[in-house]
Structures are given as C-alpha cells and as structure tokens.
Amino acid sequence: MTEQAAHIHDDEWVRRPAAAAEGTNCTPEQYEAMYRRSIDDADAFWLEQAARLEWTRKPTTAGDWSFDPVDVRWFADGQLNVCHNAVDRHVAAGNGERLALIFEPDDPQGPVRRITYAELQAEVIRMANTLKKMGVAKGDRVTIYMPMVPAGAFAMLACARIGAVHSVIFGGFSPEAIAGRIEDCASTFVICADEGWRGGKTIPLKRNVDAALEKVGVKAVLVIRHTGGDVAMNAGRDHWYHELSDGVAADCPCEPMAAEDPLFILYTSGSTGKPKGVLHTVGGYAVWTETTFRYVFDYRPGEVFWCTADIGWVTGHSYVVYGPLQNGATALMFEGVPNWPDHDRFWATVAKHKVAIFYTAPTAIRALMREGTAPVERHDLSSLRLLGTVGEPINPEAWRWYSDTVGKGRLPVVDTWWQTETGGVMITTLPGAHDMKPGSAGKPFFGVCPQLVDGDGNVLDGATEGNLCIARSWPGQARTVYGDHDRFVQTYFSTYKGKYFTGDGCRRDADGYYWITGRVDDVINVSGHRMGTAEVESALVLHDKVAEAAVVGFPHDIKGQGIYCYVTLMEGEEPSDDLAAALRQQVRKEIGPIASPDHLHFTPALPKTRSGKIMRRILRKIAENETSSLGDTSTLADPSVVDTLIEGRLNR
Ligand code: WTA
C-alpha cells in the first residue's frame, strides 16, 4: 500500500448529492439499474446510448470483442462522422447561435474569443478545405503541434471531418520527440502555430517543428499565425494558413466513416521502449466521450464547462473537444497557466466566464492550495456547480481544500480515473447518484467491469487490494498500438490473460469504492503527465560520459511524483555541477522540459542482482528516504552498494 493510501479512511463519507435537487440525469436508483443493464444487456444498452448520435448508417450491433485473442469492435456495421456530431448536427438542429468555444488567452487583458456552433462550423470547413488543398486525404496521418487556442480544436475537427487521422503532440515536447512521433506513424503533414504563449513567454512551436523536420520529412506544413512572431518559412513545404485558406469553398461534406475507421493516434509512455501510438476509432470513441461527458459532468444547456487540460493530452481530446462538443456544450479553452500573472488566474477566469463545471488535475490543486485561501476568496465563484479532477490520485487533504475552499462545501466533486487507452472516464462518482469519499475515485461507469487480481492472476473478491484489470470491453477502449498490434497485446493483455491490465494498483473498500494507489509498473506520474522511466534513462545514457542510469519516482508535494535519477559515469569521469546541468539539458532535448530530472544522484555503482538486474525497489526506497525499510538485500551481487547509495543520498 502506498504511503498515501495508509492514512485514508474508508468510512469518511461526504454526502453532497446537491445536483439531484436540480434535476440531475442520474439518481442512485437509476445508476444501479443502468449499471446492471450495461453489463447484463450490454448490446441493447449501448445501442440506446449510441442513438443520441447521428449515424449515416445506424449500427445494428454493439460490442463484438474478445480479449483472447485480442480483437475489439463496437458498432461495427455503423457509419458516422464525429465532426458532424460535434458541430454540424447542432447547427442543423437550430442551435447555431449557441456558444461552442470560449477562448481565454494567456494574457488576461488579451482578446477573448466567443465562437458559436455556426462559426465553429465555418472555421472547421475552412480548415478542412485548406487541408484538402494541401493534399491531405482520408487515412493520412496529420501531426498537430499547437498551443491551447481554438485553431487547435479546428484542426482536430477538420481532420475528423475529412477522415484524416490526427496525432496531436503536446507543445511541451522537444523536436526529437516530434520527429520520433512523425516517423512512427509515417505522418505526412504537420499543422502548427508560429508560437504559443505560456505565462507571458513564447513557445517556439514552428522552430521546434523545423528542427524536427531536419530529421524526418513531410509533404507540407500548415502554419497558423498566433503570436505574430518571426518564423522561417521553407518555400514549397510550409504554407501560411491565412494565405492558403484564401478562397477555399464554404462547404465541405463530412466524410462518412465506418465505426472502426481510425480517428486519432495519441502517443503515451509505457514501462518499456519508446512512447506508443495509441489508436482510437471513430464510433466507439464518439459514443464513449458523448456518454461519459453527459453523465459524469451532468451538463445542462447554456453552462460553461472548463477542462484545464491541454489538447496535447487525452483529457484535452475527450473533455475539451469531443465530449463537450458532441453534447452541444460550451467549452472554455485557456491558453495560460494557473499561476500567471498571479495565483488567482483560475479563479479569476471562473468568475469572468461564469464557469459552471471545472475539471482540473490534483497537481494544480496542490500548487494553488499552497497559496492559501485569499486568491480564491478574491473572486465570485457562485457560478460553479460541479468540480472534477483527473490525472493522478488526489490526496484527501487536497480533495478537502478543493471541496471546501473552491466548492464552498456545497459542490459535488468527481474524481475521475481513466487513461489514454480507455478513451474516457472509467471509474468515478456520478453527481446525484453517489456520495463521495475524499481520495476515492468511486464506482465503475456504465459498462465498466473492474477486477482486482493478485500477482498470480487470481481474481480477488470483496474489500481487497490488487492490480487493476478491466474484464470486459467498453466502447471507448483503444483498439491497437499504431503499426504494432503485438505490442498492444503484449502490453495490455498478456500479464493477465483475457483481461485488460491498466498498470495501476488499486484498493476496493467494503462499499465497493475504488481507491487508485498509483502505477505498479515503471511508469511515473509527474504533475499528471505519464512518463516512462526507461525513456528518461535512454536520454541520460545518450551522454557520452554516462555509463548507466536508473530512474525512479519519489513522492513530491506538488507534482505528485518527481523524477529521481541515479547515474554512473564512465571510467575516469567525475561528477560536477556542469555535468549535472548538461544531463538535465540532455533530457529536455530528447523528451522535453516536462521530463527534467528533479534529482541527479551520481553513484559509483547501482544495486544489481547476481544476474545483473537493477533492483529498482531499493532505488525507490532510497529516493523516498525510506532507508529503514529496504527489505531483503541479500540477493545483491554487492550489498555494500546500498551503503554507498545511502551515504550519497541527496538531502531532501
Ligand atoms: C493515473 C489521463 C488516480 C493512473 C486521463 C492512470 C489517476 C494514468 C486518475 C493515466 C485518478 C488518472 N486517480 N490516478 N482520478 N486519473 N490517473 O494516460 O495512474 O495520461 O493509469 O490519462 O494516470 O494517465 P493518462
């Protein structure tokens, strides 16, 4: 059990089904009945949910799947276009004047943009026709490297409209990371902005793309002017959007897509190797994001929904773009950061745009909690009706601060557990249906069948702790790893045959509530961002003075986990501050600033078994300052290594 789970109390209930009084879409009885039906009569249940969308050919079957061998299909004979469902359908229904997106720029004095569904339709059509003019065709992979601005959403929707497969790369990733992702999925087009803004500083997006394209070629780059900063344009390859889009037609039909056609690829870190291109398909993802958004956030027409995630992460895909827009909601897009120009930026923005539903990450809550209650109290937060969190376990202390200080003790808080691979929320309380327990994600969403298993694969019943698996398919699940189905099967379905293994540890209490305890593999979660320790290690050993590196996570007050790197140097090399700085730089260059090591611990040797395997358990304990409980060290080839490591432990 993690340290965090140790001081959580199962019996602390927070009863706040406040939404019920206002007519929530799910009462406790409805949840029970719907959940049961979603498992016992899954086909009928999911065809009913799917019927809220407009299909060019209605599906007659829902799930058609097997986890052994792995083959997953949903709504397989159906045909639809997600862009039509997120945009055109609302205009056709007479809701063209409803707000689709509100853009709050990095600079609080900067111009806000309010985009109606009718305007969104026109923007997406313009982008879609420009992509076609550039040569993009159905099935092509299009890399999107954008700041958090509406054009990022236009780009995603334009791809969906014409059947191109988008691969969005978070703006904090380095040129090396961009090149690797472009190469992996043989992407032939890039859409980027000149630069982005973040906390008053610019991010050189186009320059990073240029550097990436020195390593890998594409047919064309579409550049959107945002900051107006100077960028180099490569004649013949690069096109300004405002020039190329000039004169394109004002209509562009939505490409009818088979439900199992690909919608997007999103790269995510695992415990081994390079990041994986997780592939989601059109029909199941559309139904999953529409349904989860509807029930988890209990959205009411006219409300402003704000998910603070970047579109470069799955949370931005599902709950900035596809979930809200398919529901005809108004989504806020925020380009800035929580602590600039001041620590009240989130709360000022909630008040300014009368946000009703606010969805953010525990790391942001912990950082803002440190600033005390004054920045929150400076603003009128009475528009808020629901709060949510995602990305990592939330410690009860942060949960209570969020609930009491931001929610004034009156709002439901949904702690939503899910993953890039799951497409949308999997475990959560539903407002109106469930009471909450601070620190617990809650109950399975409709159709989700969680199982806790021990190391040998035995399914554990009742109140227990184990490895979290999902026993049945759900519409939103990823279908494959792009170009490497074996890796998909190996990573998710081979540890426990016939089950999807999440990589997370989890506890279930006597009330059937799930408590995620964190990753049980070599993935760490830094500020809600997944990072493979192997990726950081590969970046470090690229330096010619480094012999070996081992990277582990350690508990960090704000980030959840920090990055602790053990490094051994080549014979004759000496540690120095300059070398430490060079290694940090090396990691930033290979992966990006988000992977910057918190601690570099130079050591003459790493603890290894006689067969040469690094004993990470010991490295984790030392990084956590838990040196009194190192466990069995007798299998080490050289037990004295441990004393050296403890002596050299960084004072924290
Ligand atoms: C962790 C983000 C506890 C978990 C949507 C998971 C969480 C990984 C929660 C996926 C939560 C996400 N409580 N842990 N509410 N939400 N996680 O792919 O370890 O970026 O496996 O998806 O984040 O991260 P990813």
PDB file of all heavy atoms in Angstrom, residues 22 303 347 350-357 376-387 405-408 410-411:
ATOM      1  N   GLU A  22     -31.519  19.627  -8.402  1.00  0.00           N
ATOM      2  CA  GLU A  22     -31.706  20.458  -9.589  1.00  0.00           C
ATOM      3  C   GLU A  22     -32.051  19.623 -10.821  1.00  0.00           C
ATOM      4  O   GLU A  22     -32.045  20.125 -11.929  1.00  0.00           O
ATOM      5  CB  GLU A  22     -30.433  21.261  -9.858  1.00  0.00           C
ATOM      6  CG  GLU A  22     -30.108  22.236  -8.738  1.00  0.00           C
ATOM      7  CD  GLU A  22     -28.732  22.837  -8.924  1.00  0.00           C
ATOM      8  OE1 GLU A  22     -28.354  23.132 -10.071  1.00  0.00           O
ATOM      9  OE2 GLU A  22     -28.024  22.995  -7.913  1.00  0.00           O
ATOM     10  N   GLU A 303     -24.563  26.070 -19.883  1.00  0.00           N
ATOM     11  CA  GLU A 303     -23.484  26.161 -18.902  1.00  0.00           C
ATOM     12  C   GLU A 303     -22.113  26.211 -19.586  1.00  0.00           C
ATOM     13  O   GLU A 303     -21.927  25.654 -20.664  1.00  0.00           O
ATOM     14  CB  GLU A 303     -23.511  24.947 -17.967  1.00  0.00           C
ATOM     15  CG  GLU A 303     -24.646  25.006 -16.968  1.00  0.00           C
ATOM     16  CD  GLU A 303     -24.612  23.837 -15.993  1.00  0.00           C
ATOM     17  OE1 GLU A 303     -24.047  22.776 -16.326  1.00  0.00           O
ATOM     18  OE2 GLU A 303     -25.156  23.989 -14.898  1.00  0.00           O
ATOM     19  N   TRP A 347      -9.254  31.195 -10.710  1.00  0.00           N
ATOM     20  CA  TRP A 347     -10.489  31.672 -10.062  1.00  0.00           C
ATOM     21  C   TRP A 347     -10.998  32.942 -10.753  1.00  0.00           C
ATOM     22  O   TRP A 347     -12.206  33.135 -10.900  1.00  0.00           O
ATOM     23  CB  TRP A 347     -10.269  31.877  -8.563  1.00  0.00           C
ATOM     24  CG  TRP A 347      -9.367  30.786  -8.021  1.00  0.00           C
ATOM     25  CD1 TRP A 347      -8.195  30.941  -7.357  1.00  0.00           C
ATOM     26  CD2 TRP A 347      -9.543  29.355  -8.185  1.00  0.00           C
ATOM     27  NE1 TRP A 347      -7.619  29.717  -7.099  1.00  0.00           N
ATOM     28  CE2 TRP A 347      -8.425  28.730  -7.587  1.00  0.00           C
ATOM     29  CE3 TRP A 347     -10.519  28.548  -8.774  1.00  0.00           C
ATOM     30  CZ2 TRP A 347      -8.270  27.339  -7.555  1.00  0.00           C
ATOM     31  CZ3 TRP A 347     -10.360  27.162  -8.751  1.00  0.00           C
ATOM     32  CH2 TRP A 347      -9.253  26.578  -8.142  1.00  0.00           C
ATOM     33  N   VAL A 350     -12.741  31.643 -13.803  1.00  0.00           N
ATOM     34  CA  VAL A 350     -14.051  31.059 -13.477  1.00  0.00           C
ATOM     35  C   VAL A 350     -15.081  32.183 -13.320  1.00  0.00           C
ATOM     36  O   VAL A 350     -16.178  32.138 -13.880  1.00  0.00           O
ATOM     37  CB  VAL A 350     -13.978  30.218 -12.175  1.00  0.00           C
ATOM     38  CG1 VAL A 350     -15.377  29.898 -11.654  1.00  0.00           C
ATOM     39  CG2 VAL A 350     -13.191  28.929 -12.416  1.00  0.00           C
ATOM     40  N   ALA A 351     -14.696  33.229 -12.582  1.00  0.00           N
ATOM     41  CA  ALA A 351     -15.629  34.337 -12.337  1.00  0.00           C
ATOM     42  C   ALA A 351     -15.919  35.096 -13.637  1.00  0.00           C
ATOM     43  O   ALA A 351     -17.072  35.434 -13.934  1.00  0.00           O
ATOM     44  CB  ALA A 351     -15.051  35.283 -11.283  1.00  0.00           C
ATOM     45  N   LYS A 352     -14.871  35.340 -14.420  1.00  0.00           N
ATOM     46  CA  LYS A 352     -15.014  36.124 -15.645  1.00  0.00           C
ATOM     47  C   LYS A 352     -15.981  35.463 -16.626  1.00  0.00           C
ATOM     48  O   LYS A 352     -16.802  36.134 -17.255  1.00  0.00           O
ATOM     49  CB  LYS A 352     -13.629  36.274 -16.288  1.00  0.00           C
ATOM     50  CG  LYS A 352     -13.585  37.033 -17.606  1.00  0.00           C
ATOM     51  CD  LYS A 352     -12.112  37.212 -18.002  1.00  0.00           C
ATOM     52  CE  LYS A 352     -11.941  37.814 -19.381  1.00  0.00           C
ATOM     53  NZ  LYS A 352     -10.493  37.891 -19.743  1.00  0.00           N
ATOM     54  N   HIS A 353     -15.892  34.148 -16.767  1.00  0.00           N
ATOM     55  CA  HIS A 353     -16.719  33.460 -17.767  1.00  0.00           C
ATOM     56  C   HIS A 353     -17.878  32.683 -17.159  1.00  0.00           C
ATOM     57  O   HIS A 353     -18.531  31.906 -17.842  1.00  0.00           O
ATOM     58  CB  HIS A 353     -15.847  32.539 -18.620  1.00  0.00           C
ATOM     59  CG  HIS A 353     -14.812  33.282 -19.406  1.00  0.00           C
ATOM     60  ND1 HIS A 353     -15.142  34.119 -20.454  1.00  0.00           N
ATOM     61  CD2 HIS A 353     -13.468  33.347 -19.269  1.00  0.00           C
ATOM     62  CE1 HIS A 353     -14.029  34.651 -20.946  1.00  0.00           C
ATOM     63  NE2 HIS A 353     -13.007  34.208 -20.242  1.00  0.00           N
ATOM     64  N   LYS A 354     -18.094  32.891 -15.857  1.00  0.00           N
ATOM     65  CA  LYS A 354     -19.187  32.194 -15.159  1.00  0.00           C
ATOM     66  C   LYS A 354     -19.167  30.690 -15.434  1.00  0.00           C
ATOM     67  O   LYS A 354     -20.149  30.077 -15.880  1.00  0.00           O
ATOM     68  CB  LYS A 354     -20.540  32.797 -15.556  1.00  0.00           C
ATOM     69  CG  LYS A 354     -20.626  34.289 -15.238  1.00  0.00           C
ATOM     70  CD  LYS A 354     -22.047  34.741 -15.063  1.00  0.00           C
ATOM     71  CE  LYS A 354     -22.173  36.111 -14.427  1.00  0.00           C
ATOM     72  NZ  LYS A 354     -21.054  37.049 -14.674  1.00  0.00           N
ATOM     73  N   VAL A 355     -18.020  30.107 -15.133  1.00  0.00           N
ATOM     74  CA  VAL A 355     -17.841  28.664 -15.357  1.00  0.00           C
ATOM     75  C   VAL A 355     -18.711  27.886 -14.372  1.00  0.00           C
ATOM     76  O   VAL A 355     -18.739  28.188 -13.177  1.00  0.00           O
ATOM     77  CB  VAL A 355     -16.351  28.292 -15.176  1.00  0.00           C
ATOM     78  CG1 VAL A 355     -16.152  26.779 -15.175  1.00  0.00           C
ATOM     79  CG2 VAL A 355     -15.518  28.961 -16.259  1.00  0.00           C
ATOM     80  N   ALA A 356     -19.425  26.871 -14.882  1.00  0.00           N
ATOM     81  CA  ALA A 356     -20.294  26.061 -14.028  1.00  0.00           C
ATOM     82  C   ALA A 356     -19.613  24.763 -13.616  1.00  0.00           C
ATOM     83  O   ALA A 356     -19.805  24.259 -12.516  1.00  0.00           O
ATOM     84  CB  ALA A 356     -21.600  25.753 -14.762  1.00  0.00           C
ATOM     85  N   ILE A 357     -18.827  24.196 -14.534  1.00  0.00           N
ATOM     86  CA  ILE A 357     -18.180  22.904 -14.273  1.00  0.00           C
ATOM     87  C   ILE A 357     -16.695  23.087 -14.503  1.00  0.00           C
ATOM     88  O   ILE A 357     -16.272  23.575 -15.559  1.00  0.00           O
ATOM     89  CB  ILE A 357     -18.749  21.820 -15.201  1.00  0.00           C
ATOM     90  CG1 ILE A 357     -20.272  21.735 -15.035  1.00  0.00           C
ATOM     91  CG2 ILE A 357     -18.099  20.467 -14.909  1.00  0.00           C
ATOM     92  CD1 ILE A 357     -20.963  20.915 -16.099  1.00  0.00           C
ATOM     93  N   VAL A 376      -8.482  32.636  -3.800  1.00  0.00           N
ATOM     94  CA  VAL A 376      -9.783  32.077  -4.169  1.00  0.00           C
ATOM     95  C   VAL A 376     -10.881  33.043  -3.752  1.00  0.00           C
ATOM     96  O   VAL A 376     -11.818  33.327  -4.509  1.00  0.00           O
ATOM     97  CB  VAL A 376     -10.020  30.710  -3.482  1.00  0.00           C
ATOM     98  CG1 VAL A 376     -11.287  30.060  -4.019  1.00  0.00           C
ATOM     99  CG2 VAL A 376      -8.823  29.791  -3.671  1.00  0.00           C
ATOM    100  N   GLU A 377     -10.731  33.566  -2.540  1.00  0.00           N
ATOM    101  CA  GLU A 377     -11.807  34.387  -1.977  1.00  0.00           C
ATOM    102  C   GLU A 377     -11.947  35.749  -2.628  1.00  0.00           C
ATOM    103  O   GLU A 377     -12.961  36.422  -2.475  1.00  0.00           O
ATOM    104  CB  GLU A 377     -11.639  34.490  -0.457  1.00  0.00           C
ATOM    105  CG  GLU A 377     -12.245  33.250   0.184  1.00  0.00           C
ATOM    106  CD  GLU A 377     -11.675  32.912   1.542  1.00  0.00           C
ATOM    107  OE1 GLU A 377     -10.932  33.745   2.100  1.00  0.00           O
ATOM    108  OE2 GLU A 377     -11.972  31.802   2.025  1.00  0.00           O
ATOM    109  N   ARG A 378     -10.933  36.130  -3.373  1.00  0.00           N
ATOM    110  CA  ARG A 378     -10.999  37.397  -4.092  1.00  0.00           C
ATOM    111  C   ARG A 378     -12.060  37.377  -5.207  1.00  0.00           C
ATOM    112  O   ARG A 378     -12.378  38.389  -5.784  1.00  0.00           O
ATOM    113  CB  ARG A 378      -9.628  37.642  -4.731  1.00  0.00           C
ATOM    114  CG  ARG A 378      -9.056  39.008  -4.461  1.00  0.00           C
ATOM    115  CD  ARG A 378      -7.657  39.116  -5.065  1.00  0.00           C
ATOM    116  NE  ARG A 378      -6.661  38.395  -4.294  1.00  0.00           N
ATOM    117  CZ  ARG A 378      -5.520  37.899  -4.807  1.00  0.00           C
ATOM    118  NH1 ARG A 378      -5.262  37.997  -6.095  1.00  0.00           N
ATOM    119  NH2 ARG A 378      -4.662  37.290  -4.027  1.00  0.00           N
ATOM    120  N   HIS A 379     -12.553  36.190  -5.560  1.00  0.00           N
ATOM    121  CA  HIS A 379     -13.437  36.087  -6.731  1.00  0.00           C
ATOM    122  C   HIS A 379     -14.785  35.461  -6.401  1.00  0.00           C
ATOM    123  O   HIS A 379     -14.890  34.647  -5.495  1.00  0.00           O
ATOM    124  CB  HIS A 379     -12.733  35.278  -7.826  1.00  0.00           C
ATOM    125  CG  HIS A 379     -11.447  35.902  -8.245  1.00  0.00           C
ATOM    126  ND1 HIS A 379     -11.389  36.970  -9.114  1.00  0.00           N
ATOM    127  CD2 HIS A 379     -10.171  35.664  -7.854  1.00  0.00           C
ATOM    128  CE1 HIS A 379     -10.126  37.342  -9.259  1.00  0.00           C
ATOM    129  NE2 HIS A 379      -9.372  36.566  -8.513  1.00  0.00           N
ATOM    130  N   ASP A 380     -15.766  35.856  -7.191  1.00  0.00           N
ATOM    131  CA  ASP A 380     -17.120  35.318  -7.034  1.00  0.00           C
ATOM    132  C   ASP A 380     -17.210  33.996  -7.798  1.00  0.00           C
ATOM    133  O   ASP A 380     -17.241  33.988  -9.035  1.00  0.00           O
ATOM    134  CB  ASP A 380     -18.119  36.337  -7.603  1.00  0.00           C
ATOM    135  CG  ASP A 380     -19.536  35.777  -7.620  1.00  0.00           C
ATOM    136  OD1 ASP A 380     -19.755  34.687  -7.051  1.00  0.00           O
ATOM    137  OD2 ASP A 380     -20.413  36.436  -8.215  1.00  0.00           O
ATOM    138  N   LEU A 381     -17.243  32.905  -7.055  1.00  0.00           N
ATOM    139  CA  LEU A 381     -17.260  31.591  -7.699  1.00  0.00           C
ATOM    140  C   LEU A 381     -18.656  30.975  -7.660  1.00  0.00           C
ATOM    141  O   LEU A 381     -18.814  29.759  -7.767  1.00  0.00           O
ATOM    142  CB  LEU A 381     -16.248  30.656  -7.029  1.00  0.00           C
ATOM    143  CG  LEU A 381     -14.794  31.144  -7.001  1.00  0.00           C
ATOM    144  CD1 LEU A 381     -13.877  30.067  -6.428  1.00  0.00           C
ATOM    145  CD2 LEU A 381     -14.314  31.540  -8.394  1.00  0.00           C
ATOM    146  N   SER A 382     -19.680  31.820  -7.505  1.00  0.00           N
ATOM    147  CA  SER A 382     -21.025  31.274  -7.312  1.00  0.00           C
ATOM    148  C   SER A 382     -21.584  30.597  -8.565  1.00  0.00           C
ATOM    149  O   SER A 382     -22.577  29.885  -8.488  1.00  0.00           O
ATOM    150  CB  SER A 382     -21.975  32.382  -6.841  1.00  0.00           C
ATOM    151  OG  SER A 382     -21.991  33.422  -7.808  1.00  0.00           O
ATOM    152  N   SER A 383     -20.933  30.798  -9.721  1.00  0.00           N
ATOM    153  CA  SER A 383     -21.413  30.110 -10.933  1.00  0.00           C
ATOM    154  C   SER A 383     -21.087  28.621 -10.903  1.00  0.00           C
ATOM    155  O   SER A 383     -21.671  27.829 -11.641  1.00  0.00           O
ATOM    156  CB  SER A 383     -20.779  30.741 -12.180  1.00  0.00           C
ATOM    157  OG  SER A 383     -19.367  30.662 -12.091  1.00  0.00           O
ATOM    158  N   LEU A 384     -20.120  28.213 -10.063  1.00  0.00           N
ATOM    159  CA  LEU A 384     -19.693  26.808 -10.070  1.00  0.00           C
ATOM    160  C   LEU A 384     -20.788  25.883  -9.557  1.00  0.00           C
ATOM    161  O   LEU A 384     -21.470  26.185  -8.576  1.00  0.00           O
ATOM    162  CB  LEU A 384     -18.441  26.626  -9.206  1.00  0.00           C
ATOM    163  CG  LEU A 384     -17.133  27.142  -9.797  1.00  0.00           C
ATOM    164  CD1 LEU A 384     -16.009  27.040  -8.761  1.00  0.00           C
ATOM    165  CD2 LEU A 384     -16.760  26.379 -11.061  1.00  0.00           C
ATOM    166  N   ARG A 385     -20.966  24.756 -10.228  1.00  0.00           N
ATOM    167  CA  ARG A 385     -21.977  23.781  -9.825  1.00  0.00           C
ATOM    168  C   ARG A 385     -21.379  22.390  -9.605  1.00  0.00           C
ATOM    169  O   ARG A 385     -21.956  21.552  -8.915  1.00  0.00           O
ATOM    170  CB  ARG A 385     -23.078  23.709 -10.897  1.00  0.00           C
ATOM    171  CG  ARG A 385     -24.324  23.004 -10.455  1.00  0.00           C
ATOM    172  CD  ARG A 385     -25.397  23.034 -11.520  1.00  0.00           C
ATOM    173  NE  ARG A 385     -24.944  22.507 -12.791  1.00  0.00           N
ATOM    174  CZ  ARG A 385     -24.732  21.205 -13.022  1.00  0.00           C
ATOM    175  NH1 ARG A 385     -24.927  20.329 -12.074  1.00  0.00           N
ATOM    176  NH2 ARG A 385     -24.307  20.805 -14.210  1.00  0.00           N
ATOM    177  N   LEU A 386     -20.212  22.156 -10.221  1.00  0.00           N
ATOM    178  CA  LEU A 386     -19.593  20.832 -10.121  1.00  0.00           C
ATOM    179  C   LEU A 386     -18.087  20.963 -10.295  1.00  0.00           C
ATOM    180  O   LEU A 386     -17.617  21.755 -11.119  1.00  0.00           O
ATOM    181  CB  LEU A 386     -20.154  19.938 -11.242  1.00  0.00           C
ATOM    182  CG  LEU A 386     -19.722  18.484 -11.237  1.00  0.00           C
ATOM    183  CD1 LEU A 386     -20.624  17.675 -10.323  1.00  0.00           C
ATOM    184  CD2 LEU A 386     -19.764  17.887 -12.632  1.00  0.00           C
ATOM    185  N   LEU A 387     -17.334  20.174  -9.519  1.00  0.00           N
ATOM    186  CA  LEU A 387     -15.878  20.174  -9.641  1.00  0.00           C
ATOM    187  C   LEU A 387     -15.411  18.774 -10.015  1.00  0.00           C
ATOM    188  O   LEU A 387     -16.035  17.786  -9.621  1.00  0.00           O
ATOM    189  CB  LEU A 387     -15.230  20.569  -8.308  1.00  0.00           C
ATOM    190  CG  LEU A 387     -15.613  21.930  -7.729  1.00  0.00           C
ATOM    191  CD1 LEU A 387     -14.995  22.106  -6.332  1.00  0.00           C
ATOM    192  CD2 LEU A 387     -15.152  23.054  -8.662  1.00  0.00           C
ATOM    193  N   THR A 405     -12.780  25.029  -0.064  1.00  0.00           N
ATOM    194  CA  THR A 405     -12.390  26.397  -0.398  1.00  0.00           C
ATOM    195  C   THR A 405     -12.929  26.817  -1.763  1.00  0.00           C
ATOM    196  O   THR A 405     -13.472  27.903  -1.926  1.00  0.00           O
ATOM    197  CB  THR A 405     -10.853  26.536  -0.363  1.00  0.00           C
ATOM    198  OG1 THR A 405     -10.409  26.070   0.908  1.00  0.00           O
ATOM    199  CG2 THR A 405     -10.418  27.969  -0.566  1.00  0.00           C
ATOM    200  N   VAL A 406     -12.790  25.939  -2.740  1.00  0.00           N
ATOM    201  CA  VAL A 406     -13.284  26.285  -4.078  1.00  0.00           C
ATOM    202  C   VAL A 406     -14.776  25.986  -4.163  1.00  0.00           C
ATOM    203  O   VAL A 406     -15.562  26.794  -4.660  1.00  0.00           O
ATOM    204  CB  VAL A 406     -12.510  25.515  -5.175  1.00  0.00           C
ATOM    205  CG1 VAL A 406     -13.015  25.902  -6.562  1.00  0.00           C
ATOM    206  CG2 VAL A 406     -11.010  25.792  -5.050  1.00  0.00           C
ATOM    207  N   GLY A 407     -15.178  24.825  -3.642  1.00  0.00           N
ATOM    208  CA  GLY A 407     -16.582  24.405  -3.746  1.00  0.00           C
ATOM    209  C   GLY A 407     -17.459  24.898  -2.614  1.00  0.00           C
ATOM    210  O   GLY A 407     -18.663  24.628  -2.613  1.00  0.00           O
ATOM    211  N   LYS A 408     -16.872  25.632  -1.649  1.00  0.00           N
ATOM    212  CA  LYS A 408     -17.606  26.195  -0.502  1.00  0.00           C
ATOM    213  C   LYS A 408     -18.435  25.123   0.220  1.00  0.00           C
ATOM    214  O   LYS A 408     -19.520  25.375   0.740  1.00  0.00           O
ATOM    215  CB  LYS A 408     -18.555  27.332  -0.925  1.00  0.00           C
ATOM    216  CG  LYS A 408     -17.956  28.366  -1.869  1.00  0.00           C
ATOM    217  CD  LYS A 408     -16.865  29.194  -1.237  1.00  0.00           C
ATOM    218  CE  LYS A 408     -16.282  30.183  -2.236  1.00  0.00           C
ATOM    219  NZ  LYS A 408     -14.846  30.448  -1.986  1.00  0.00           N
ATOM    220  N   ARG A 410     -20.294  22.926  -0.919  1.00  0.00           N
ATOM    221  CA  ARG A 410     -21.641  22.653  -1.422  1.00  0.00           C
ATOM    222  C   ARG A 410     -21.651  21.909  -2.759  1.00  0.00           C
ATOM    223  O   ARG A 410     -22.712  21.493  -3.223  1.00  0.00           O
ATOM    224  CB  ARG A 410     -22.434  23.965  -1.547  1.00  0.00           C
ATOM    225  CG  ARG A 410     -21.898  24.899  -2.599  1.00  0.00           C
ATOM    226  CD  ARG A 410     -22.632  26.209  -2.747  1.00  0.00           C
ATOM    227  NE  ARG A 410     -21.947  27.002  -3.757  1.00  0.00           N
ATOM    228  CZ  ARG A 410     -22.230  26.991  -5.056  1.00  0.00           C
ATOM    229  NH1 ARG A 410     -23.233  26.285  -5.517  1.00  0.00           N
ATOM    230  NH2 ARG A 410     -21.524  27.723  -5.894  1.00  0.00           N
ATOM    231  N   LEU A 411     -20.484  21.717  -3.390  1.00  0.00           N
ATOM    232  CA  LEU A 411     -20.493  21.148  -4.740  1.00  0.00           C
ATOM    233  C   LEU A 411     -20.080  19.676  -4.762  1.00  0.00           C
ATOM    234  O   LEU A 411     -19.219  19.265  -4.004  1.00  0.00           O
ATOM    235  CB  LEU A 411     -19.524  21.919  -5.649  1.00  0.00           C
ATOM    236  CG  LEU A 411     -19.707  23.421  -5.739  1.00  0.00           C
ATOM    237  CD1 LEU A 411     -18.704  24.002  -6.727  1.00  0.00           C
ATOM    238  CD2 LEU A 411     -21.124  23.770  -6.150  1.00  0.00           C
TER     239      LEU A 411
END
